[in-house]
Amino acid sequence: MEHPQVVDPRHPLVERVRELCLELPEAVEVEAWGRPTFRAAKPIFAYVSAHMERPFSIVVKTDPEEHRALVQDDRFYGVPYFDRNHWVGTDLDAPGTDWQFLAELIETSYRQVALKRQLAALDAMRGAPTGE
């Protein structure tokens, strides 16, 4: 059974998320459950639309050490089926959305699931020292 489309993939908020996600090495977009999902090759690191009532939201995997602080921040909330695995949602259309912070959360989420070669490519892209 095909899922109904939850959010217009051409909406400007979705386009902005897409731009942030697809700049990451080997990141791809795959529609799943009627939503745009963003993957580091296969594993999902972000998806748009936490649920039908919040179509303009993003869900990301947090760093386990940062998770508790994020869920205590009113901008973030647990997501059905994903909350126990350190995923959080936040609304993209909320007043004062901090896109720089969202970009950091997207990158952190990517780092949680990416392969070593993808992380090396990201570090090279960011100009991080390689340790050699």
Side-chain angles (χ1 to χ4, degrees):
M1 183 169 105
E2 193 171 315
H3 290 333
Q5 192 173 54
V6 178
V7 64
D8 179 356
R10 296 173 311 270
H11 189 282
L13 291 172
V14 178
E15 292 284 355
R16 198 159 181 190
V17 168
R18 179 177 292 115
E19 182 179 316
L20 294 171
C21 291
L22 295 182
E23 78 171 9
L24 300 168
E26 298 181 49
V28 296
E29 180 176 353
V30 176
E31 184 175 326
W33 317 296
R35 299 160 167 82
T37 67
F38 299 93
R39 301 164 187 246
K42 289 188 181 182
I44 295 173
F45 65 90
Y47 68 89
V48 175
S49 189
H51 47 77
M52 297 293 276
E53 292 78 33
R54 289 181 132 140
F56 297 111
S57 57
I58 185 171
V59 179
V60 294
K61 186 170 180 65
T62 64
D63 178 301
E65 293 179 16
E66 297 173 353
H67 184 77
R68 180 173 285 159
L70 286 172
V71 295
Q72 291 176 355
D73 183 324
D74 290 339
R75 296 175 294 176
F76 299 93
Y77 48 86
V79 180
Y81 310 110
F82 288 87
D83 189 34
R84 70 178 178 271
N85 293 315
H86 302 114
W87 290 79
V88 296
T90 188
D91 296 322
L92 300 169
D93 58 351
T97 297
D98 184 343
W99 284 92
Q100 178 61 42
F101 188 49
L102 280 179
E104 292 170 16
L105 290 174
I106 288 168
E107 185 169 316
T108 295
S109 186
Y110 175 88
R111 288 181 179 279
Q112 300 301 306
V113 303
L115 300 171
K116 288 181 183 180
R117 76 167 185 271
Q118 294 167 325
L119 294 174
L122 177 58
D123 289 341
M125 189 172 98
R126 298 287 188 243
T130 60
E132 293 178 10

